[in-house]
């Protein structure tokens, strides 16, 4: 696969903003550490791509993976590399340059694995028992899958086992109805208020409409709006095909036994249907029985946590499926859907969930929860034991842990004092941001800035790359007030930097008498006078 030396062969150049694409290609190629023949091993390139979280089944990368795997030689040179990455250049360059949504994906995977393991310890809750197919599921199942807005994927546990979507189909049906008719038309038939009642309770709002599309009555109504005039078979096929597309072409199935059982125990849903018909809530010409069957078929669609994580990621990515790059929903559709997932998605626990977890999510009685961190990622957890509200015990536990670990709660960005990690930053940024800010503030004599960093819980003794701490910088620049403040807080008065210098050495070198006096006075007395 060697096609000759590139124009910039063998020269790692300093890259600058505004570099032409060939120079950037070269820099990315060099990051793969070409050997002395200026070639990169195909297996190591594949490994590097997979490490970033991109997957072999990503539709955007099919050609690239195929070309690499079919490469008859096990190494490629720069020209071949440029040809192979071809139309996916942008994505691959961002991946290899650590510029995908979660740059340090290996660390993220390790951290999420630890959260998963803690949630796995939960064994409380009960299986749904209203149909035998749900009552028979292995209660120990637990799978979690995450897909970022760039299509980086991670899954753990039983993330490849299919379950029936049940109420997790509701946001999809609602979004499809919005795409077809627009919000104004859809909300002529469905409200957008939390009902404050059970998800299947026999009640309508004061206009005789279902309260919202995330409860049974609202989802039945959304089904009535979808693809009117088509045969039931075509309407169902439309939903299945849509879910497949939203999931980036992944496999989506249907459980006939779940459907038949749902059909046998659907008295409440039939009652809801008749109640709505009595209130003349349906559009003219609605075939009630057919619509109820359609609704129950949608509940019986089967998918895995991995598939549903991609569905959630399409919502996180404003309607563009991250792993196909194709738009599935208008941004306005997604905005409406996420708003109602936020207020009504978690049964009678929706308010509490919005308060404590702060993410748009939807739960289903099979034990699935899909959650969305807008612009960042979608996730799906599945574990069948449910709490008293009908939410998966382990799934809920995982959601809580996720927002405790990361700044994902919708209002985390308001606090500014969050101790939580931002996985959108690289490891270097996470580290350097704090260390860099505190050392720069000290060198400017910016006491107010340092106080703010202290309020954020930043480690004042953490040095920069050269192990120079805030105290070194303040002493070297003669900022007496800052030196005094740091010493009063009890920071180590004699840290040694990479060059073997203490803050006192710096102050002495620069001739800052008051600082020397303060530092010496303290150390002479052998105690912290400050
Ligand atoms: N098939 C169930 C029903 O309509 C869905 C319940 C759910 O997941 O909330 O009753």
């Amino acid at each position: 696969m060697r096609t000759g030396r590139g124009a910039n062969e063998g020269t790692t150049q300093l890259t600058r903003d505004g570099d032409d694409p060939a120079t950037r290609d070269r820099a990315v190629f060099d990051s793969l550490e070409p050997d002395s023949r200026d070639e990169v091993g195909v297996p190591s390139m594949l490994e590097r791509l997979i490490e970033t979280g991109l997957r072999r089944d990503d539709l955007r990368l099919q050609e690239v993976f195929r070309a690499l795997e079919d490469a008859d030689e096990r190494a490629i040179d720069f020209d071949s590399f440029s040809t192979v990455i071809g139309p996916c250049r942008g994505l691959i360059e961002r991946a290899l340059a650590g510029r995908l949504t979660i740059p340090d994906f290996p660390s993220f995977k390790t951290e999420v694995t630890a959260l998963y393991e803690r949630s796995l310890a939960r064994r409380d809750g009960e299986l749904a028992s209203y149909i035998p197919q749900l009552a028979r599921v292995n209660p120990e199942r637990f799978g979690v899958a995450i897909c970022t807005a760039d299509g980086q994927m991670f899954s753990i546990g039983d993330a490849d086992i299919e379950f029936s979507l049940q109420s997790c189909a509701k946001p999809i049906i609602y979004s499809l109805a919005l795409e077809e008719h627009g919000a104004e038309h859809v909300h002529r038939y469905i409200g957008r208020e939390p009902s404050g009642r059970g998800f299947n309770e026999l009640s309508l709002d004061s206009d005789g409409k279902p309260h919202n599309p995330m409860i049974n009555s609202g989802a039945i109504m959304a089904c009535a709006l979808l693809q009117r005039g088509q045969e039931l078979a075509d309407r169902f096929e439309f939903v299945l095909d849509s879910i497949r597309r939203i999931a980036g072409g992944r496999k989506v199935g249907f459980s006939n036994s779940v459907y038949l059982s749902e059909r046998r125990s659907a008295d409440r849903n039939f009652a809801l249907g008749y109640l709505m018909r009595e209130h003349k809530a349906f559009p003219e010409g609605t075939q009630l029985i057919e619509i109820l069957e359609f609704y129950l078929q949608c509940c019986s669609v089967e998918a895995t946590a991995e598939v549903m994580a991609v569905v959630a990621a399409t919502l996180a990515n404003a309607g563009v499926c991250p792993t196909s790059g194709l738009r599935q929903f208008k941004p306005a559709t997604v905005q409406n859907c996420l708003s109602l997932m936020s207020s009504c998605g978690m049964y009678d626990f929706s308010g509490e969930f919005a308060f404590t977890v702060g993410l748009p999510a939807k739960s289903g009685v099979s034990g699935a929860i899909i959650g969305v961190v807008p612009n960042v990622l979608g996730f799906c957890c599945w574990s069948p034991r449910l709490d008293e509200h009908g939410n998966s015990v382990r799934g809920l536990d995982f959601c809580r842990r996720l927002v405790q670990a990361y700044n994902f709660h919708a209002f985390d960005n308001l606090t500014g004092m969050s101790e939580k990690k931002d996985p959108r930053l690289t490891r270097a940024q996470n580290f350097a941001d704090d260390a860099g800010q505190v050392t720069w503030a000290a060198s400017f004599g910016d006491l107010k800035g340092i106080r703010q960093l202290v309020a954020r819980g930043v480690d004042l003794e953490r040095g920069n790359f050269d192990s120079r701490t805030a105290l070194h910088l303040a002493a070297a620049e003669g900022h007496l007030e800052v030196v005094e403040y740091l010493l009063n807080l009890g920071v180590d008065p004699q840290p040694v930097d990479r060059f073997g210098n203490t803050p006192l050495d710096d102050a002495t070198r620069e001739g800052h008498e008051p600082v020397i006096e303060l530092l010496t006075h303290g150390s002479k007395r052998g105690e912290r006078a400050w």
Side-chain angles (χ1 to χ4, degrees), residues 516-527 529-530:
I516 299 171
E517 176 60 24
L518 182 59
L519 288 164
T520 316
H521 180 62
S523 50
K524 259 196 205 139
R525 290 194 1 188
E527 61 180 14
W530 37 83

Side-chain angles (χ1 to χ4, degrees), residues 163-173 298-299 308 311 347 362-370 380-381:
F163 50 83
S164 52
L165 299 191
Q166 300 292 353
S167 278
C168 286
K170 288 174 176 144
I172 306 173
I173 300 167
C298 294
C299 292
M308 292 308 284
V311 169
Y347 302 121
K362 185 71 197 91
S363 179
V365 79
S366 51
I369 298 177
I370 56 170
C380 175
C381 344

